[in-house]
Amino acid sequence: MDNRPIGFLDSGVGGLTVVKELMRQLPDEEVVYIGDSSRAPYGPRPAEQIRQFTWEMVKFLQSKNVKMIVFACNTATAVAWEEVKAALDIPVLGVILPGASAAIKATENGKIGIIGTAMTIKSDIYRQKVQLLSPNLAVTSLACPKFVPIVESNETSSSVAKKIVYETLKPLVGRVDTLILGCTHYPLLRPIIQNVMGQDVKLIDSGAECVRDISVLLNYFEINRERTQLYKAHSFFTTASSQAFDAIAENWLKMPVKSRTINL
Amino acid sequence: MDNRPIGFLDSGVGGLTVVKELMRQLPDEEVVYIGDSSRAPYGPRPAEQIRQFTWEMVKFLQSKNVKMIVFACNTATAVAWEEVKAALDIPVLGVILPGASAAIKATENGKIGIIGTAMTIKSDIYRQKVQLLSPNLAVTSLACPKFVPIVESNETSSSVAKKIVYETLKPLVGRVDTLILGCTHYPLLRPIIQNVMGQDVKLIDSGAECVRDISVLLNYFEINRERTQLYKAHSFFTTASSQAFDAIAENWLKMPVKSRTINL
């Protein structure tokens, strides 16, 4: 057993979709969250910069004495997960392999779509992982650079959002039976994405899939938190406005959130 | 990626229930199986002897160059899993934590039953793991020493089997809403157990639960087998009669099995 918190990092608020699923599946675990909203989106940045920003968040979480770090960010996972996992002596999870595995299981016609930030799509990592495990699957990738800014500005139900999602996803409609939401911000746009893609298309939430892996690794490394009356306090940190962060977080997590603004 | 096989060990044929689930969920993985039927059941043996026999199987599997070892045996897991896991540099999985976690999620009235061999029940490990994670759950344990011999002698549908299961489980009927099959042999008796306990009682197959963990750890350690046209050959070894092993294995796995008899 290990009663220390689990650390989550993301370029902004997208990783909250992973935290929400964690709170549902593993309600006894404590969370420390860092979102780098002042430098979001990560997607269009050069890999070396993403790598540096990710390490800054990793070091911040280490200073909070976390027992595990979750890259709740596909872009950071694509660029720096393997390197950080190899360097740390605590478990480090990414969101890409869980998402890729779930999509392979979900597809029936063998046609999988992947949407993500420019960097995630450019890295080609989802296609590589899917086809390494399952070479006969057809994988269509599409970068959606406008989605993260919509979510970070809390406009996920505006008519502009609907128009952007519709126009961006048009090339994929009717071409896949399974779509990986390869960015943790995208579940906040899920109703619109589902509507555009059609109700039959299976949407794979890479962050939610990752929580299953968190649960298994807590067991494997024997670091579950005890289900006791111990005081539990989640902590949220952002590099931008805490008010803006709290508005999105409270709406998404359905609980009061008081984040703190920090510099990395 | 790692195309080496996964090693499974059990006191006899019970671990085949884990292999069957593996073949369903992860059909591309290759299996090396060792069942120590000549010395089964392990349940009534002293812990030190079980520990020694388990290490003999572990060393046999290591000689077959496996990439991961699965303790497909609750008794061996209770006695030696932590020690072997700490000693080896490949992942070593047991069946107890996956089973305990699944039961915690499944129960609605907070009353969990656990059945297993004499050693598994005496070790008290299931109750400890369940209550460490969830102290408010009521756990009732029951040793079923007659079940493994029924399975090893391939008499799982005889009227004697029905009578023994009925008489053994009587103390649990009506007292739990979830029952952990804390021995990998027991799923072979599942229809009878379900009938005796009632259709509403959730039976937790510790071995099947464990396959979910295998999948996650293959991802985490990046040691999945490639889904290619590579030749794949499962190998089965037993310390007793290969004919007797094959009869049970072919009936359970629905595929031709040609095991080899070895001495450990």
Side-chain angles (χ1 to χ4, degrees):
Chain A
M1 311 301 283
D2 189 331
N3 291 331
R4 293 179 298 165
I6 300 175
F8 291 79
L9 64 82
D10 182 45
S11 64
V13 295
L16 292 170
T17 64
V18 186
V19 169
K20 183 176 186 174
E21 187 62 24
L22 180 100
M23 290 175 171
R24 195 182 70 78
Q25 287 188 37
L26 297 166
D28 301 298
E29 295 296 331
E30 194 175 73
V31 168
V32 177
Y33 185 96
I34 169 71
D36 193 10
S37 291
S38 72
R39 300 188 289 195
Y42 276 15
R45 292 181 180 276
E48 185 48 37
Q49 203 175 46
I50 296 166
R51 191 179 155 271
Q52 180 203 320
F53 293 174
T54 303
W55 267 112
E56 288 171 7
M57 290 196 283
V58 166
K59 281 174 181 155
F60 174 78
L61 289 172
Q62 285 183 297
S63 79
K64 296 294 175 190
N65 195 26
V66 297
K67 64 183 172 188
M68 172 187 278
I69 291 179
V70 179
F71 277 39
C73 175
N74 281 268
T75 308
T77 304
V79 172
W81 173 61
E82 304 230 3
E83 173 186 339
V84 174
K85 185 173 80 143
L88 266 53
D89 58 1
I90 54 172
V92 179
L93 269 82
V95 280
I96 288 174
L97 277 171
S101 294
I104 291 169
K105 280 184 196 139
T107 185
E108 286 168 32
N109 70 6
K111 292 175 184 165
I112 295 176
I114 292 163
I115 55 175
T117 66
M119 173 55 78
T120 300
I121 297 305
K122 190 178 138 206
S123 78
D124 201 31
I125 189 165
Y126 267 108
R127 193 194 55 72
Q128 286 169 22
K129 296 293 182 189
V130 166
Q131 294 188 337
L132 208 57
L133 291 168
S134 209
N136 299 325
L137 298 181
V139 177
T140 311
S141 306
L142 182 70
C144 304
K146 293 181 180 166
F147 287 11
V148 169
I150 296 172
V151 173
E152 288 286 329
S153 58
N154 204 9
E155 296 190 25
T156 49
S157 42
S158 69
S159 59
V160 174
K162 284 177 195 159
K163 188 157 176 285
I164 288 175
V165 172
Y166 172 74
E167 286 180 355
T168 308
L169 294 184
K170 224 166 20 180
L172 284 178
V173 175
R175 291 190 51 197
V176 300
D177 77 343
T178 302
L179 181 66
I180 302 175
L181 307 181
C183 171
T184 54
H185 285 71
Y186 296 178
L188 289 142
L189 292 165
R190 185 175 189 130
I192 311 181
I193 294 172
Q194 187 80 66
N195 202 36
V196 170
M197 293 302 296
Q199 298 304 317
D200 291 343
V201 172
K202 288 171 214 145
L203 302 186
I204 304 295
D205 178 341
S206 58
E209 294 300 328
C210 152
V211 174
R212 193 187 74 145
D213 291 38
I214 294 173
S215 169
V216 169
L217 291 171
L218 290 173
N219 275 343
Y220 182 74
F221 293 110
E222 298 176 82
I223 53 173
N224 287 285
R225 192 167 193 272
E226 287 167 276
R227 246 184 227 196
T228 61
Q229 304 307 312
L230 275 178
Y231 179 67
K232 179 174 62 181
H234 304 304
S235 326
F236 297 89
F237 299 90
T238 173
T239 58
S241 150
S242 59
Q243 286 89 335
F245 184 96
D246 294 351
I248 296 173
E250 293 190 345
N251 183 41
W252 183 247
L253 300 177
K254 309 290 181 212
M255 59 180 266
V257 172
K258 287 274 163 275
S259 64
R260 273 171 280 173
T261 300
I262 54 150
N263 290 314
L264 284 173
Chain B
M1 312 300 285
D2 188 332
N3 290 331
R4 293 178 298 165
I6 301 175
F8 291 80
L9 63 83
D10 182 45
S11 63
V13 295
L16 292 170
T17 64
V18 186
V19 169
K20 184 177 185 173
E21 188 61 23
L22 180 99
M23 290 175 172
R24 195 182 71 78
Q25 287 187 38
L26 298 166
D28 301 298
E29 294 296 331
E30 193 175 72
V31 168
V32 177
Y33 186 96
I34 169 71
D36 193 10
S37 290
S38 72
R39 301 187 290 195
Y42 276 15
R45 293 181 180 275
E48 185 47 38
Q49 203 174 47
I50 295 166
R51 192 179 153 271
Q52 180 203 320
F53 293 174
T54 303
W55 268 111
E56 288 171 6
M57 290 195 284
V58 166
K59 281 174 181 156
F60 174 78
L61 290 173
Q62 286 184 295
S63 79
K64 297 293 174 191
N65 195 26
V66 297
K67 65 183 171 187
M68 171 188 277
I69 290 179
V70 179
F71 277 39
C73 174
N74 282 268
T75 309
T77 304
V79 172
W81 172 60
E82 305 231 2
E83 173 185 340
V84 174
K85 185 172 80 143
L88 265 54
D89 59 1
I90 54 173
V92 179
L93 268 82
V95 280
I96 288 174
L97 278 170
S101 293
I104 291 168
K105 280 184 196 139
T107 185
E108 285 169 30
N109 69 7
K111 293 175 183 164
I112 295 176
I114 291 163
I115 55 175
T117 67
M119 173 55 78
T120 299
I121 298 305
K122 191 178 138 204
S123 78
D124 202 31
I125 189 165
Y126 266 109
R127 193 194 57 72
Q128 287 169 21
K129 296 293 182 189
V130 166
Q131 294 188 338
L132 207 58
L133 291 169
S134 207
N136 299 324
L137 298 181
V139 178
T140 310
S141 305
L142 182 70
C144 304
K146 293 182 181 166
F147 287 11
V148 170
I150 294 173
V151 173
E152 288 286 329
S153 58
N154 204 9
E155 297 189 26
T156 49
S157 43
S158 70
S159 59
V160 173
K162 284 177 194 159
K163 189 156 176 286
I164 288 174
V165 172
Y166 173 74
E167 286 180 355
T168 308
L169 294 184
K170 225 167 18 181
L172 284 179
V173 174
R175 292 189 53 196
V176 299
D177 77 343
T178 301
L179 180 66
I180 301 175
L181 307 182
C183 171
T184 54
H185 285 72
Y186 297 178
L188 289 143
L189 292 164
R190 186 176 189 130
I192 311 182
I193 294 171
Q194 187 80 66
N195 203 34
V196 170
M197 293 303 296
Q199 298 305 318
D200 291 345
V201 171
K202 288 170 215 145
L203 302 185
I204 304 295
D205 179 340
S206 57
E209 295 300 329
C210 151
V211 174
R212 195 187 71 145
D213 291 38
I214 295 173
S215 169
V216 169
L217 290 171
L218 290 174
N219 274 343
Y220 182 74
F221 293 110
E222 299 176 81
I223 53 173
N224 288 284
R225 191 168 193 273
E226 287 167 275
R227 245 182 227 196
T228 60
Q229 304 306 314
L230 275 177
Y231 179 67
K232 179 174 64 182
H234 304 306
S235 327
F236 297 90
F237 299 90
T238 173
T239 59
S241 150
S242 59
Q243 286 89 335
F245 184 96
D246 294 350
I248 296 172
E250 293 190 346
N251 184 39
W252 184 247
L253 300 178
K254 309 289 181 214
M255 58 180 264
V257 172
K258 288 274 162 274
S259 65
R260 272 171 281 172
T261 300
I262 54 151
N263 290 314
L264 284 173

mmCIF file of all heavy atoms in Angstrom, chain A residues 227, chain B residues 98-112 134 137 176-180 200-205 209:
data_model
loop_
_atom_site.group_PDB
_atom_site.id
_atom_site.type_symbol
_atom_site.label_atom_id
_atom_site.label_comp_id
_atom_site.label_asym_id
_atom_site.label_seq_id
_atom_site.Cartn_x
_atom_site.Cartn_y
_atom_site.Cartn_z
ATOM 1 N N ARG A 227 -8.341 2.214 1.597
ATOM 2 C CA ARG A 227 -9.678 2.793 1.677
ATOM 3 C C ARG A 227 -10.020 3.054 3.129
ATOM 4 O O ARG A 227 -10.735 2.301 3.764
ATOM 5 C CB ARG A 227 -10.682 1.775 1.135
ATOM 6 C CG ARG A 227 -11.347 2.232 -0.129
ATOM 7 C CD ARG A 227 -12.386 1.269 -0.584
ATOM 8 N NE ARG A 227 -12.197 1.045 -2.003
ATOM 9 C CZ ARG A 227 -13.108 0.502 -2.788
ATOM 10 N NH1 ARG A 227 -14.249 0.088 -2.301
ATOM 11 N NH2 ARG A 227 -12.869 0.341 -4.069
ATOM 12 N N PRO B 98 -5.784 -9.461 -8.882
ATOM 13 C CA PRO B 98 -6.848 -9.226 -9.874
ATOM 14 C C PRO B 98 -8.201 -9.755 -9.410
ATOM 15 O O PRO B 98 -9.230 -9.097 -9.593
ATOM 16 C CB PRO B 98 -6.344 -9.986 -11.112
ATOM 17 C CG PRO B 98 -4.860 -10.055 -10.953
ATOM 18 C CD PRO B 98 -4.614 -10.135 -9.473
ATOM 19 N N GLY B 99 -8.214 -10.935 -8.781
ATOM 20 C CA GLY B 99 -9.475 -11.500 -8.296
ATOM 21 C C GLY B 99 -10.075 -10.671 -7.175
ATOM 22 O O GLY B 99 -11.276 -10.387 -7.155
ATOM 23 N N ALA B 100 -9.228 -10.231 -6.233
ATOM 24 C CA ALA B 100 -9.720 -9.429 -5.115
ATOM 25 C C ALA B 100 -10.285 -8.096 -5.613
ATOM 26 O O ALA B 100 -11.369 -7.665 -5.197
ATOM 27 C CB ALA B 100 -8.593 -9.188 -4.109
ATOM 28 N N SER B 101 -9.578 -7.441 -6.535
ATOM 29 C CA SER B 101 -10.054 -6.160 -7.075
ATOM 30 C C SER B 101 -11.387 -6.318 -7.790
ATOM 31 O O SER B 101 -12.288 -5.479 -7.642
ATOM 32 C CB SER B 101 -9.053 -5.603 -8.093
ATOM 33 O OG SER B 101 -7.862 -5.255 -7.473
ATOM 34 N N ALA B 102 -11.503 -7.377 -8.583
ATOM 35 C CA ALA B 102 -12.746 -7.581 -9.338
ATOM 36 C C ALA B 102 -13.912 -7.817 -8.391
ATOM 37 O O ALA B 102 -15.024 -7.331 -8.628
ATOM 38 C CB ALA B 102 -12.582 -8.755 -10.307
ATOM 39 N N ALA B 103 -13.672 -8.544 -7.308
ATOM 40 C CA ALA B 103 -14.758 -8.825 -6.353
ATOM 41 C C ALA B 103 -15.211 -7.541 -5.653
ATOM 42 O O ALA B 103 -16.404 -7.317 -5.451
ATOM 43 C CB ALA B 103 -14.297 -9.856 -5.332
ATOM 44 N N ILE B 104 -14.249 -6.680 -5.318
ATOM 45 C CA ILE B 104 -14.600 -5.416 -4.665
ATOM 46 C C ILE B 104 -15.504 -4.584 -5.569
ATOM 47 O O ILE B 104 -16.472 -3.970 -5.119
ATOM 48 C CB ILE B 104 -13.318 -4.632 -4.305
ATOM 49 C CG1 ILE B 104 -12.557 -5.355 -3.199
ATOM 50 C CG2 ILE B 104 -13.644 -3.201 -3.897
ATOM 51 C CD1 ILE B 104 -11.153 -4.828 -2.969
ATOM 52 N N LYS B 105 -15.185 -4.603 -6.873
ATOM 53 C CA LYS B 105 -16.020 -3.847 -7.814
ATOM 54 C C LYS B 105 -17.386 -4.494 -8.001
ATOM 55 O O LYS B 105 -18.382 -3.815 -8.237
ATOM 56 C CB LYS B 105 -15.310 -3.742 -9.176
ATOM 57 C CG LYS B 105 -14.252 -2.663 -9.184
ATOM 58 C CD LYS B 105 -13.619 -2.483 -10.563
ATOM 59 C CE LYS B 105 -12.322 -1.698 -10.425
ATOM 60 N NZ LYS B 105 -11.249 -2.212 -11.261
ATOM 61 N N ALA B 106 -17.436 -5.823 -7.918
ATOM 62 C CA ALA B 106 -18.681 -6.534 -8.266
ATOM 63 C C ALA B 106 -19.716 -6.525 -7.149
ATOM 64 O O ALA B 106 -20.917 -6.513 -7.411
ATOM 65 C CB ALA B 106 -18.346 -7.977 -8.653
ATOM 66 N N THR B 107 -19.283 -6.554 -5.897
ATOM 67 C CA THR B 107 -20.256 -6.733 -4.812
ATOM 68 C C THR B 107 -21.179 -5.523 -4.672
ATOM 69 O O THR B 107 -20.754 -4.379 -4.812
ATOM 70 C CB THR B 107 -19.558 -7.016 -3.466
ATOM 71 O OG1 THR B 107 -20.566 -7.302 -2.490
ATOM 72 C CG2 THR B 107 -18.720 -5.842 -3.007
ATOM 73 N N GLU B 108 -22.436 -5.788 -4.406
ATOM 74 C CA GLU B 108 -23.388 -4.702 -4.171
ATOM 75 C C GLU B 108 -23.792 -4.640 -2.706
ATOM 76 O O GLU B 108 -24.026 -3.578 -2.165
ATOM 77 C CB GLU B 108 -24.618 -4.877 -5.063
ATOM 78 C CG GLU B 108 -24.310 -4.511 -6.518
ATOM 79 C CD GLU B 108 -25.401 -4.921 -7.486
ATOM 80 O OE1 GLU B 108 -26.575 -4.963 -7.087
ATOM 81 O OE2 GLU B 108 -25.046 -5.236 -8.645
ATOM 82 N N ASN B 109 -23.871 -5.822 -2.053
ATOM 83 C CA ASN B 109 -24.271 -5.806 -0.644
ATOM 84 C C ASN B 109 -23.075 -5.863 0.313
ATOM 85 O O ASN B 109 -23.250 -5.924 1.529
ATOM 86 C CB ASN B 109 -25.261 -6.949 -0.347
ATOM 87 C CG ASN B 109 -24.607 -8.326 -0.411
ATOM 88 O OD1 ASN B 109 -23.395 -8.451 -0.551
ATOM 89 N ND2 ASN B 109 -25.426 -9.366 -0.302
ATOM 90 N N GLY B 110 -21.853 -5.839 -0.244
ATOM 91 C CA GLY B 110 -20.661 -5.803 0.601
ATOM 92 C C GLY B 110 -20.298 -7.125 1.233
ATOM 93 O O GLY B 110 -19.450 -7.175 2.126
ATOM 94 N N LYS B 111 -20.921 -8.220 0.753
ATOM 95 C CA LYS B 111 -20.623 -9.542 1.320
ATOM 96 C C LYS B 111 -19.987 -10.432 0.265
ATOM 97 O O LYS B 111 -20.630 -10.865 -0.682
ATOM 98 C CB LYS B 111 -21.913 -10.171 1.855
ATOM 99 C CG LYS B 111 -22.448 -9.410 3.063
ATOM 100 C CD LYS B 111 -23.780 -9.951 3.536
ATOM 101 C CE LYS B 111 -24.283 -9.090 4.686
ATOM 102 N NZ LYS B 111 -25.711 -9.303 4.958
ATOM 103 N N ILE B 112 -18.701 -10.699 0.483
ATOM 104 C CA ILE B 112 -17.912 -11.450 -0.492
ATOM 105 C C ILE B 112 -17.531 -12.801 0.094
ATOM 106 O O ILE B 112 -17.137 -12.883 1.262
ATOM 107 C CB ILE B 112 -16.633 -10.655 -0.862
ATOM 108 C CG1 ILE B 112 -17.002 -9.362 -1.588
ATOM 109 C CG2 ILE B 112 -15.681 -11.500 -1.693
ATOM 110 C CD1 ILE B 112 -15.803 -8.482 -1.900
ATOM 111 N N SER B 134 -10.500 -2.304 1.017
ATOM 112 C CA SER B 134 -11.887 -1.940 1.303
ATOM 113 C C SER B 134 -12.301 -2.515 2.652
ATOM 114 O O SER B 134 -12.963 -3.551 2.720
ATOM 115 C CB SER B 134 -12.736 -2.517 0.165
ATOM 116 O OG SER B 134 -13.887 -1.771 -0.007
ATOM 117 N N LEU B 137 -15.871 -4.214 3.831
ATOM 118 C CA LEU B 137 -16.510 -5.383 3.226
ATOM 119 C C LEU B 137 -16.412 -6.589 4.158
ATOM 120 O O LEU B 137 -15.411 -6.782 4.844
ATOM 121 C CB LEU B 137 -15.847 -5.715 1.883
ATOM 122 C CG LEU B 137 -15.956 -4.621 0.809
ATOM 123 C CD1 LEU B 137 -15.289 -5.082 -0.480
ATOM 124 C CD2 LEU B 137 -17.410 -4.256 0.535
ATOM 125 N N VAL B 176 -23.638 -14.498 0.578
ATOM 126 C CA VAL B 176 -22.772 -13.572 -0.179
ATOM 127 C C VAL B 176 -23.425 -13.264 -1.528
ATOM 128 O O VAL B 176 -24.211 -14.069 -2.034
ATOM 129 C CB VAL B 176 -21.368 -14.186 -0.434
ATOM 130 C CG1 VAL B 176 -20.665 -14.481 0.888
ATOM 131 C CG2 VAL B 176 -21.455 -15.449 -1.282
ATOM 132 N N ASP B 177 -23.110 -12.087 -2.077
ATOM 133 C CA ASP B 177 -23.610 -11.810 -3.441
ATOM 134 C C ASP B 177 -22.506 -11.972 -4.480
ATOM 135 O O ASP B 177 -22.744 -11.859 -5.675
ATOM 136 C CB ASP B 177 -24.260 -10.424 -3.524
ATOM 137 C CG ASP B 177 -23.259 -9.271 -3.580
ATOM 138 O OD1 ASP B 177 -22.078 -9.474 -3.231
ATOM 139 O OD2 ASP B 177 -23.661 -8.154 -3.943
ATOM 140 N N THR B 178 -21.277 -12.196 -3.997
ATOM 141 C CA THR B 178 -20.117 -12.321 -4.891
ATOM 142 C C THR B 178 -19.231 -13.431 -4.339
ATOM 143 O O THR B 178 -18.950 -13.460 -3.136
ATOM 144 C CB THR B 178 -19.331 -10.986 -4.927
ATOM 145 O OG1 THR B 178 -20.212 -9.948 -5.376
ATOM 146 C CG2 THR B 178 -18.131 -11.068 -5.861
ATOM 147 N N LEU B 179 -18.807 -14.325 -5.219
ATOM 148 C CA LEU B 179 -17.958 -15.433 -4.768
ATOM 149 C C LEU B 179 -16.705 -15.496 -5.631
ATOM 150 O O LEU B 179 -16.784 -15.660 -6.852
ATOM 151 C CB LEU B 179 -18.723 -16.762 -4.856
ATOM 152 C CG LEU B 179 -17.940 -18.008 -4.400
ATOM 153 C CD1 LEU B 179 -17.638 -17.941 -2.901
ATOM 154 C CD2 LEU B 179 -18.714 -19.277 -4.733
ATOM 155 N N ILE B 180 -15.546 -15.359 -4.977
ATOM 156 C CA ILE B 180 -14.281 -15.459 -5.711
ATOM 157 C C ILE B 180 -13.910 -16.933 -5.862
ATOM 158 O O ILE B 180 -13.785 -17.650 -4.860
ATOM 159 C CB ILE B 180 -13.147 -14.733 -4.965
ATOM 160 C CG1 ILE B 180 -13.480 -13.247 -4.764
ATOM 161 C CG2 ILE B 180 -11.827 -14.892 -5.726
ATOM 162 C CD1 ILE B 180 -12.449 -12.499 -3.919
ATOM 163 N N ASP B 200 -28.023 -15.539 -9.162
ATOM 164 C CA ASP B 200 -27.748 -14.122 -8.922
ATOM 165 C C ASP B 200 -26.354 -13.860 -8.350
ATOM 166 O O ASP B 200 -25.884 -12.715 -8.334
ATOM 167 C CB ASP B 200 -28.767 -13.544 -7.923
ATOM 168 C CG ASP B 200 -30.151 -13.473 -8.558
ATOM 169 O OD1 ASP B 200 -30.228 -13.586 -9.801
ATOM 170 O OD2 ASP B 200 -31.129 -13.319 -7.807
ATOM 171 N N VAL B 201 -25.725 -14.893 -7.845
ATOM 172 C CA VAL B 201 -24.411 -14.692 -7.227
ATOM 173 C C VAL B 201 -23.362 -14.525 -8.319
ATOM 174 O O VAL B 201 -23.290 -15.311 -9.266
ATOM 175 C CB VAL B 201 -24.058 -15.870 -6.295
ATOM 176 C CG1 VAL B 201 -22.613 -15.776 -5.824
ATOM 177 C CG2 VAL B 201 -25.014 -15.901 -5.113
ATOM 178 N N LYS B 202 -22.553 -13.452 -8.179
ATOM 179 C CA LYS B 202 -21.513 -13.204 -9.186
ATOM 180 C C LYS B 202 -20.287 -14.045 -8.879
ATOM 181 O O LYS B 202 -19.695 -13.909 -7.799
ATOM 182 C CB LYS B 202 -21.139 -11.718 -9.189
ATOM 183 C CG LYS B 202 -22.223 -10.848 -9.798
ATOM 184 C CD LYS B 202 -21.925 -9.366 -9.558
ATOM 185 C CE LYS B 202 -23.222 -8.619 -9.342
ATOM 186 N NZ LYS B 202 -23.121 -7.516 -8.376
ATOM 187 N N LEU B 203 -19.905 -14.883 -9.823
ATOM 188 C CA LEU B 203 -18.698 -15.696 -9.633
ATOM 189 C C LEU B 203 -17.514 -14.965 -10.259
ATOM 190 O O LEU B 203 -17.550 -14.600 -11.436
ATOM 191 C CB LEU B 203 -18.876 -17.065 -10.289
ATOM 192 C CG LEU B 203 -20.056 -17.907 -9.803
ATOM 193 C CD1 LEU B 203 -20.015 -19.291 -10.455
ATOM 194 C CD2 LEU B 203 -20.070 -18.040 -8.287
ATOM 195 N N ILE B 204 -16.485 -14.739 -9.473
ATOM 196 C CA ILE B 204 -15.288 -14.049 -9.965
ATOM 197 C C ILE B 204 -14.223 -15.088 -10.279
ATOM 198 O O ILE B 204 -13.763 -15.818 -9.395
ATOM 199 C CB ILE B 204 -14.742 -13.059 -8.915
ATOM 200 C CG1 ILE B 204 -15.823 -12.053 -8.502
ATOM 201 C CG2 ILE B 204 -13.497 -12.356 -9.446
ATOM 202 C CD1 ILE B 204 -16.288 -11.125 -9.593
ATOM 203 N N ASP B 205 -13.847 -15.139 -11.557
ATOM 204 C CA ASP B 205 -12.846 -16.096 -12.023
ATOM 205 C C ASP B 205 -11.477 -15.408 -11.911
ATOM 206 O O ASP B 205 -11.120 -14.577 -12.736
ATOM 207 C CB ASP B 205 -13.200 -16.448 -13.476
ATOM 208 C CG ASP B 205 -12.223 -17.426 -14.099
ATOM 209 O OD1 ASP B 205 -11.088 -17.547 -13.596
ATOM 210 O OD2 ASP B 205 -12.598 -18.051 -15.103
ATOM 211 N N GLU B 209 -9.679 -12.775 -14.674
ATOM 212 C CA GLU B 209 -9.372 -11.393 -14.296
ATOM 213 C C GLU B 209 -7.898 -11.094 -14.517
ATOM 214 O O GLU B 209 -7.511 -9.992 -14.892
ATOM 215 C CB GLU B 209 -9.740 -11.132 -12.834
ATOM 216 C CG GLU B 209 -11.226 -11.216 -12.543
ATOM 217 C CD GLU B 209 -12.053 -10.206 -13.335
ATOM 218 O OE1 GLU B 209 -11.530 -9.127 -13.627
ATOM 219 O OE2 GLU B 209 -13.211 -10.519 -13.670
#
